[in-house]
Amino acid sequence: KGLRLAYLGGTAAFVILFMAWTRQVWGGGVATRPFVDLTTMAAALGAGTLALARTRHLPGERRIAWILLGLAAMAWGLGNAAWSYLELWAQRGVPIAERSIPFPSLADVGYVLLLPLAAGALLVMVIGTTQATTRLRTFLDGLLISAAIVFAAWVLFLRPIVAFAGGQGGLGGLLSLIYPVGDLVLLSLLVLVASRVSPAVRRTLAWLGLALLAITVADIGFWYLVANDRYATGQWTDAGWALGFLLIGYAAIRAIPDVPTHEAPRPGLALSALPLAPFVVSTGLAMVVQVREGALSPFLFWNAIVVVGTLAVRQFVMVFENLQLRRETEASFARLQEAEALRTRLLHTITHDLQNPLSPIQIQLHLLEKVQLEPDARRRIDLIG
């Protein structure tokens, strides 16, 4: 507990000093860029190291989940190392103010790998749902919720990023959208996973949720500033990335509960129906935009296609799950009937086998009751009866 409190205190102090330092030398000075690049890289690599170190004490699926989460943090840290190399070393002969990073670059490989690895870790954390269809439906539910969030985000702040991505074209434009949209998918998936695990595991997921929220806000803020040509190294977005990975490291050093598989709760009716709400929200927002602007943008059109397609696949998976559940129920009922029949035959056999030796004893006792016996002998006869 003391270590965790010290870690939290150090994290808070680091973030405060980080923002104070970068604000003091804001503007991309010589001191700002190495400080920001190296500290965020250290936070990510440190979080990955702590997560991988905890896997030695974890069994089964939880071990796999933390391995994936550690690899996700390490991948982001290595991506940031590539960014630092391109910014600080590869262009060391260029004045600081004139340096620029190619986009896409090798750094984006590490940044993007965070998304599938973290998503896999969250899916594996769904304790008690070993069936692949259940995990697939969890991912589809997360995609449905995130699609509705993307609709709302586009109305609020995502439009400049979409316009910027459209101007990049090709892989660059795709990557510009993958970062903020992928973060929203991860957050939605984490909420769904939290509804399908025990309260003890949910406390660990709460810290991971705060970490993903900090990284999401930093990614969205970064691309919003880039789209408006206002980003410079040392802004608040850099503190968001550092804070996010420091929180992942804290989640790794917390006591990870040992929860048996059968104790994982199943979501109730409200949580099961929750993913259908985004369909209504997305449809309503699409109608509002259609009426207000006369037509949907290509981004919102394809987002609507994703919502409808995901909903269709989700319903198909649910039908498959119901059929599988029906087959398992029928097989269990057949096994129960067979066990009942075996129990009945066993009782009949025991009754028959006991009746053979007991009948002649009862007959002899009946005959002895007619004989005059001493009180002690009569008492013994009654005990035998």
Side-chain angles (χ1 to χ4, degrees), residues 85-130:
Y85 171 80
L86 293 173
E87 185 176 39
L88 302 177
W89 182 256
Q91 303 181 73
R92 58 189 181 278
V94 180
I96 285 286
E98 299 178 11
R99 295 180 186 181
S100 62
I101 306 298
F103 180 71
S105 68
L106 183 62
D108 293 291
V109 177
Y111 293 152
V112 172
L113 278 177
L114 168 76
L115 300 174
L117 289 173
L122 291 175
L123 288 175
V124 174
M125 283 184 182
V126 185
I127 299 177
T129 54
T130 55

Short mmCIF file of all heavy atoms in Angstrom, two decimals, residues 85-130:
data_model
loop_
_atom_site.label_atom_id
_atom_site.label_comp_id
_atom_site.label_asym_id
_atom_site.label_seq_id
_atom_site.Cartn_x
_atom_site.Cartn_y
_atom_site.Cartn_z
N TYR A 85 14.01 9.72 -32.14
CA TYR A 85 15.17 9.59 -33.03
C TYR A 85 14.99 10.50 -34.25
O TYR A 85 15.92 11.22 -34.64
CB TYR A 85 15.33 8.14 -33.47
CG TYR A 85 16.37 7.97 -34.56
CD1 TYR A 85 17.73 7.95 -34.26
CD2 TYR A 85 15.97 7.85 -35.89
CE1 TYR A 85 18.68 7.82 -35.26
CE2 TYR A 85 16.92 7.71 -36.90
CZ TYR A 85 18.26 7.69 -36.59
OH TYR A 85 19.20 7.56 -37.58
N LEU A 86 13.79 10.46 -34.85
CA LEU A 86 13.56 11.26 -36.05
C LEU A 86 13.60 12.76 -35.74
O LEU A 86 14.03 13.56 -36.58
CB LEU A 86 12.20 10.90 -36.66
CG LEU A 86 12.08 9.48 -37.24
CD1 LEU A 86 10.64 9.19 -37.65
CD2 LEU A 86 13.01 9.31 -38.44
N GLU A 87 13.16 13.12 -34.52
CA GLU A 87 13.09 14.54 -34.19
C GLU A 87 14.40 15.08 -33.62
O GLU A 87 14.81 16.20 -33.94
CB GLU A 87 11.96 14.78 -33.18
CG GLU A 87 11.74 16.26 -32.86
CD GLU A 87 10.57 16.46 -31.93
OE1 GLU A 87 10.40 15.65 -31.00
OE2 GLU A 87 9.81 17.42 -32.12
N LEU A 88 15.07 14.28 -32.79
CA LEU A 88 16.23 14.81 -32.07
C LEU A 88 17.56 14.44 -32.71
O LEU A 88 18.50 15.23 -32.66
CB LEU A 88 16.20 14.30 -30.61
CG LEU A 88 14.96 14.64 -29.80
CD1 LEU A 88 15.05 14.02 -28.43
CD2 LEU A 88 14.76 16.15 -29.71
N TRP A 89 17.66 13.26 -33.29
CA TRP A 89 18.95 12.80 -33.78
C TRP A 89 19.06 12.87 -35.30
O TRP A 89 20.06 13.39 -35.82
CB TRP A 89 19.20 11.37 -33.31
CG TRP A 89 20.54 10.83 -33.73
CD1 TRP A 89 20.80 9.95 -34.73
CD2 TRP A 89 21.81 11.17 -33.17
NE1 TRP A 89 22.15 9.72 -34.84
CE2 TRP A 89 22.80 10.46 -33.88
CE3 TRP A 89 22.20 12.02 -32.13
CZ2 TRP A 89 24.15 10.55 -33.57
CZ3 TRP A 89 23.55 12.11 -31.84
CH2 TRP A 89 24.51 11.39 -32.55
N ALA A 90 18.04 12.36 -36.00
CA ALA A 90 18.13 12.33 -37.47
C ALA A 90 18.20 13.74 -38.05
O ALA A 90 18.73 13.94 -39.14
CB ALA A 90 16.94 11.57 -38.05
N GLN A 91 17.64 14.74 -37.34
CA GLN A 91 17.64 16.13 -37.84
C GLN A 91 18.48 17.04 -36.94
O GLN A 91 18.17 18.23 -36.81
CB GLN A 91 16.20 16.65 -37.91
CG GLN A 91 15.27 15.80 -38.77
CD GLN A 91 13.87 16.37 -38.81
OE1 GLN A 91 13.61 17.39 -39.45
NE2 GLN A 91 12.96 15.71 -38.11
N ARG A 92 19.52 16.48 -36.33
CA ARG A 92 20.29 17.27 -35.38
C ARG A 92 20.99 18.46 -36.03
O ARG A 92 21.34 19.43 -35.34
CB ARG A 92 21.33 16.38 -34.70
CG ARG A 92 22.31 15.70 -35.63
CD ARG A 92 23.16 14.67 -34.88
NE ARG A 92 24.13 14.01 -35.76
CZ ARG A 92 23.85 12.99 -36.54
NH1 ARG A 92 22.60 12.51 -36.56
NH2 ARG A 92 24.78 12.43 -37.30
N GLY A 93 21.20 18.43 -37.35
CA GLY A 93 21.82 19.56 -38.01
C GLY A 93 20.84 20.63 -38.43
O GLY A 93 21.25 21.69 -38.91
N VAL A 94 19.54 20.38 -38.23
CA VAL A 94 18.50 21.33 -38.62
C VAL A 94 18.08 22.14 -37.41
O VAL A 94 17.95 21.58 -36.31
CB VAL A 94 17.28 20.58 -39.22
CG1 VAL A 94 16.19 21.56 -39.63
CG2 VAL A 94 17.72 19.70 -40.38
N PRO A 95 17.85 23.44 -37.54
CA PRO A 95 17.38 24.22 -36.39
C PRO A 95 16.09 23.66 -35.83
O PRO A 95 15.24 23.13 -36.56
CB PRO A 95 17.16 25.62 -37.00
CG PRO A 95 18.08 25.67 -38.17
CD PRO A 95 18.12 24.28 -38.72
N ILE A 96 15.94 23.76 -34.51
CA ILE A 96 14.79 23.17 -33.82
C ILE A 96 13.47 23.61 -34.45
O ILE A 96 12.56 22.81 -34.67
CB ILE A 96 14.81 23.57 -32.32
CG1 ILE A 96 15.88 22.77 -31.60
CG2 ILE A 96 13.47 23.34 -31.67
CD1 ILE A 96 15.52 21.32 -31.36
N ALA A 97 13.34 24.88 -34.72
CA ALA A 97 12.07 25.41 -35.23
C ALA A 97 11.74 24.89 -36.62
O ALA A 97 10.58 24.93 -37.03
CB ALA A 97 12.10 26.93 -35.23
N GLU A 98 12.72 24.39 -37.34
CA GLU A 98 12.48 23.94 -38.73
C GLU A 98 12.37 22.42 -38.84
O GLU A 98 12.19 21.89 -39.94
CB GLU A 98 13.63 24.44 -39.62
CG GLU A 98 13.75 25.95 -39.66
CD GLU A 98 14.93 26.40 -40.51
OE1 GLU A 98 15.51 25.53 -41.22
OE2 GLU A 98 15.29 27.58 -40.47
N ARG A 99 12.48 21.70 -37.74
CA ARG A 99 12.41 20.25 -37.81
C ARG A 99 10.96 19.78 -37.99
O ARG A 99 10.03 20.36 -37.42
CB ARG A 99 12.99 19.62 -36.54
CG ARG A 99 14.48 19.89 -36.37
CD ARG A 99 15.02 19.24 -35.11
NE ARG A 99 16.42 19.62 -34.89
CZ ARG A 99 17.15 19.19 -33.88
NH1 ARG A 99 16.62 18.36 -32.98
NH2 ARG A 99 18.40 19.58 -33.75
N SER A 100 10.80 18.72 -38.77
CA SER A 100 9.47 18.15 -39.00
C SER A 100 9.60 16.64 -39.11
O SER A 100 10.61 16.12 -39.59
CB SER A 100 8.83 18.71 -40.27
OG SER A 100 9.61 18.39 -41.40
N ILE A 101 8.56 15.93 -38.65
CA ILE A 101 8.56 14.47 -38.66
C ILE A 101 7.78 13.99 -39.88
O ILE A 101 6.65 14.45 -40.11
CB ILE A 101 7.93 13.91 -37.38
CG1 ILE A 101 8.63 14.50 -36.15
CG2 ILE A 101 8.02 12.39 -37.35
CD1 ILE A 101 10.10 14.16 -36.06
N PRO A 102 8.34 13.08 -40.68
CA PRO A 102 7.56 12.53 -41.80
C PRO A 102 6.33 11.78 -41.30
O PRO A 102 6.36 11.15 -40.24
CB PRO A 102 8.55 11.59 -42.49
CG PRO A 102 9.57 11.25 -41.45
CD PRO A 102 9.68 12.47 -40.58
N PHE A 103 5.26 11.87 -42.06
CA PHE A 103 4.02 11.21 -41.68
C PHE A 103 3.40 10.54 -42.91
O PHE A 103 3.19 11.21 -43.91
CB PHE A 103 3.03 12.23 -41.09
CG PHE A 103 1.72 11.61 -40.68
CD1 PHE A 103 1.66 10.78 -39.56
CD2 PHE A 103 0.57 11.85 -41.41
CE1 PHE A 103 0.46 10.22 -39.19
CE2 PHE A 103 -0.63 11.29 -41.04
CZ PHE A 103 -0.69 10.47 -39.91
N PRO A 104 3.16 9.23 -42.82
CA PRO A 104 3.44 8.29 -41.73
C PRO A 104 4.93 7.99 -41.63
O PRO A 104 5.69 8.18 -42.57
CB PRO A 104 2.66 7.04 -42.13
CG PRO A 104 1.76 7.44 -43.23
CD PRO A 104 2.40 8.61 -43.92
N SER A 105 5.32 7.46 -40.46
CA SER A 105 6.71 7.09 -40.21
C SER A 105 6.75 5.80 -39.41
O SER A 105 5.71 5.24 -39.05
CB SER A 105 7.44 8.21 -39.46
OG SER A 105 6.93 8.32 -38.14
N LEU A 106 7.97 5.35 -39.10
CA LEU A 106 8.13 4.13 -38.30
C LEU A 106 7.50 4.30 -36.92
O LEU A 106 7.04 3.32 -36.32
CB LEU A 106 9.62 3.81 -38.17
CG LEU A 106 9.98 2.52 -37.42
CD1 LEU A 106 9.40 1.31 -38.14
CD2 LEU A 106 11.50 2.39 -37.29
N ALA A 107 7.47 5.51 -36.41
CA ALA A 107 6.87 5.74 -35.09
C ALA A 107 5.40 5.35 -35.07
O ALA A 107 4.89 4.85 -34.06
CB ALA A 107 7.03 7.21 -34.71
N ASP A 108 4.69 5.55 -36.19
CA ASP A 108 3.26 5.24 -36.23
C ASP A 108 3.00 3.75 -36.08
O ASP A 108 1.91 3.36 -35.64
CB ASP A 108 2.65 5.77 -37.53
CG ASP A 108 2.66 7.28 -37.60
OD1 ASP A 108 1.92 7.90 -36.82
OD2 ASP A 108 3.43 7.83 -38.39
N VAL A 109 3.96 2.90 -36.46
CA VAL A 109 3.77 1.46 -36.28
C VAL A 109 3.59 1.13 -34.80
O VAL A 109 2.68 0.41 -34.40
CB VAL A 109 4.97 0.68 -36.88
CG1 VAL A 109 4.81 -0.82 -36.62
CG2 VAL A 109 5.10 0.95 -38.37
N GLY A 110 4.48 1.67 -33.97
CA GLY A 110 4.37 1.42 -32.53
C GLY A 110 3.12 2.06 -31.94
O GLY A 110 2.44 1.44 -31.10
N TYR A 111 2.79 3.28 -32.37
CA TYR A 111 1.60 3.95 -31.84
C TYR A 111 0.34 3.15 -32.16
O TYR A 111 -0.54 2.96 -31.31
CB TYR A 111 1.49 5.36 -32.42
CG TYR A 111 2.57 6.31 -31.97
CD1 TYR A 111 2.97 7.38 -32.78
CD2 TYR A 111 3.20 6.16 -30.74
CE1 TYR A 111 3.97 8.26 -32.37
CE2 TYR A 111 4.19 7.03 -30.33
CZ TYR A 111 4.57 8.08 -31.15
OH TYR A 111 5.55 8.95 -30.73
N VAL A 112 0.22 2.69 -33.41
CA VAL A 112 -1.00 1.99 -33.83
C VAL A 112 -1.10 0.63 -33.16
O VAL A 112 -2.21 0.17 -32.86
CB VAL A 112 -1.02 1.86 -35.37
CG1 VAL A 112 -2.17 0.96 -35.82
CG2 VAL A 112 -1.17 3.24 -36.01
N LEU A 113 0.03 -0.04 -32.92
CA LEU A 113 -0.01 -1.37 -32.29
C LEU A 113 -0.64 -1.33 -30.90
O LEU A 113 -1.15 -2.35 -30.42
CB LEU A 113 1.40 -1.94 -32.19
CG LEU A 113 1.94 -2.62 -33.46
CD1 LEU A 113 3.38 -3.07 -33.23
CD2 LEU A 113 1.07 -3.81 -33.84
N LEU A 114 -0.61 -0.17 -30.25
CA LEU A 114 -1.25 -0.06 -28.94
C LEU A 114 -2.72 -0.45 -29.01
O LEU A 114 -3.23 -1.12 -28.09
CB LEU A 114 -1.12 1.39 -28.44
CG LEU A 114 -1.99 1.75 -27.22
CD1 LEU A 114 -1.39 1.17 -25.95
CD2 LEU A 114 -2.13 3.26 -27.09
N LEU A 115 -3.41 -0.09 -30.09
CA LEU A 115 -4.85 -0.28 -30.16
C LEU A 115 -5.25 -1.76 -30.19
O LEU A 115 -6.03 -2.20 -29.34
CB LEU A 115 -5.41 0.47 -31.38
CG LEU A 115 -5.17 2.00 -31.37
CD1 LEU A 115 -5.63 2.62 -32.67
CD2 LEU A 115 -5.90 2.62 -30.19
N PRO A 116 -4.75 -2.59 -31.15
CA PRO A 116 -5.17 -4.00 -31.14
C PRO A 116 -4.67 -4.77 -29.93
O PRO A 116 -5.38 -5.65 -29.42
CB PRO A 116 -4.58 -4.55 -32.45
CG PRO A 116 -3.45 -3.65 -32.78
CD PRO A 116 -3.85 -2.30 -32.29
N LEU A 117 -3.48 -4.46 -29.44
CA LEU A 117 -2.96 -5.18 -28.27
C LEU A 117 -3.79 -4.86 -27.03
O LEU A 117 -4.13 -5.77 -26.25
CB LEU A 117 -1.49 -4.82 -28.04
CG LEU A 117 -0.50 -5.38 -29.07
CD1 LEU A 117 0.89 -4.81 -28.82
CD2 LEU A 117 -0.46 -6.90 -29.02
N ALA A 118 -4.13 -3.59 -26.83
CA ALA A 118 -4.94 -3.23 -25.67
C ALA A 118 -6.35 -3.80 -25.80
O ALA A 118 -6.94 -4.25 -24.80
CB ALA A 118 -4.99 -1.71 -25.53
N ALA A 119 -6.91 -3.80 -27.01
CA ALA A 119 -8.24 -4.40 -27.21
C ALA A 119 -8.22 -5.89 -26.90
O ALA A 119 -9.13 -6.42 -26.26
CB ALA A 119 -8.71 -4.15 -28.65
N GLY A 120 -7.17 -6.58 -27.34
CA GLY A 120 -7.05 -8.00 -27.02
C GLY A 120 -6.94 -8.24 -25.53
O GLY A 120 -7.54 -9.18 -24.99
N ALA A 121 -6.19 -7.38 -24.83
CA ALA A 121 -6.07 -7.52 -23.37
C ALA A 121 -7.43 -7.36 -22.70
O ALA A 121 -7.76 -8.12 -21.78
CB ALA A 121 -5.08 -6.48 -22.84
N LEU A 122 -8.22 -6.40 -23.15
CA LEU A 122 -9.53 -6.18 -22.54
C LEU A 122 -10.45 -7.36 -22.80
O LEU A 122 -11.21 -7.78 -21.92
CB LEU A 122 -10.14 -4.89 -23.08
CG LEU A 122 -9.46 -3.59 -22.64
CD1 LEU A 122 -10.09 -2.39 -23.34
CD2 LEU A 122 -9.54 -3.43 -21.13
N LEU A 123 -10.41 -7.92 -24.01
CA LEU A 123 -11.26 -9.06 -24.31
C LEU A 123 -10.89 -10.27 -23.48
O LEU A 123 -11.75 -11.02 -23.01
CB LEU A 123 -11.18 -9.39 -25.81
CG LEU A 123 -11.86 -8.41 -26.75
CD1 LEU A 123 -11.60 -8.79 -28.20
CD2 LEU A 123 -13.36 -8.37 -26.50
N VAL A 124 -9.59 -10.48 -23.28
CA VAL A 124 -9.15 -11.63 -22.48
C VAL A 124 -9.54 -11.44 -21.02
O VAL A 124 -9.76 -12.41 -20.29
CB VAL A 124 -7.63 -11.82 -22.61
CG1 VAL A 124 -7.11 -12.90 -21.68
CG2 VAL A 124 -7.28 -12.20 -24.05
N MET A 125 -9.67 -10.18 -20.57
CA MET A 125 -10.04 -9.92 -19.18
C MET A 125 -11.49 -10.25 -18.88
O MET A 125 -11.92 -10.16 -17.73
CB MET A 125 -9.79 -8.45 -18.83
CG MET A 125 -8.33 -8.13 -18.58
SD MET A 125 -8.13 -6.40 -18.06
CE MET A 125 -6.34 -6.32 -17.90
N VAL A 126 -12.29 -10.60 -19.88
CA VAL A 126 -13.68 -10.95 -19.63
C VAL A 126 -13.68 -12.32 -18.96
O VAL A 126 -13.77 -13.35 -19.61
CB VAL A 126 -14.51 -10.96 -20.93
CG1 VAL A 126 -15.97 -11.22 -20.61
CG2 VAL A 126 -14.35 -9.64 -21.64
N ILE A 127 -13.55 -12.34 -17.65
CA ILE A 127 -13.44 -13.59 -16.90
C ILE A 127 -14.77 -14.34 -16.98
O ILE A 127 -15.84 -13.78 -16.82
CB ILE A 127 -13.08 -13.30 -15.44
CG1 ILE A 127 -11.73 -12.59 -15.39
CG2 ILE A 127 -13.06 -14.57 -14.61
CD1 ILE A 127 -11.32 -12.19 -14.00
N GLY A 128 -14.66 -15.65 -17.21
CA GLY A 128 -15.85 -16.49 -17.23
C GLY A 128 -16.51 -16.60 -18.59
O GLY A 128 -17.49 -17.31 -18.73
N THR A 129 -16.03 -15.88 -19.61
CA THR A 129 -16.62 -15.98 -20.94
C THR A 129 -15.56 -16.56 -21.86
O THR A 129 -14.89 -15.85 -22.59
CB THR A 129 -17.07 -14.60 -21.44
OG1 THR A 129 -15.97 -13.71 -21.36
CG2 THR A 129 -18.19 -14.06 -20.60
N THR A 130 -15.42 -17.87 -21.80
CA THR A 130 -14.37 -18.53 -22.57
C THR A 130 -14.78 -18.76 -24.02
O THR A 130 -13.94 -19.08 -24.84
CB THR A 130 -14.03 -19.87 -21.93
OG1 THR A 130 -15.22 -20.66 -21.80
CG2 THR A 130 -13.45 -19.67 -20.54
#
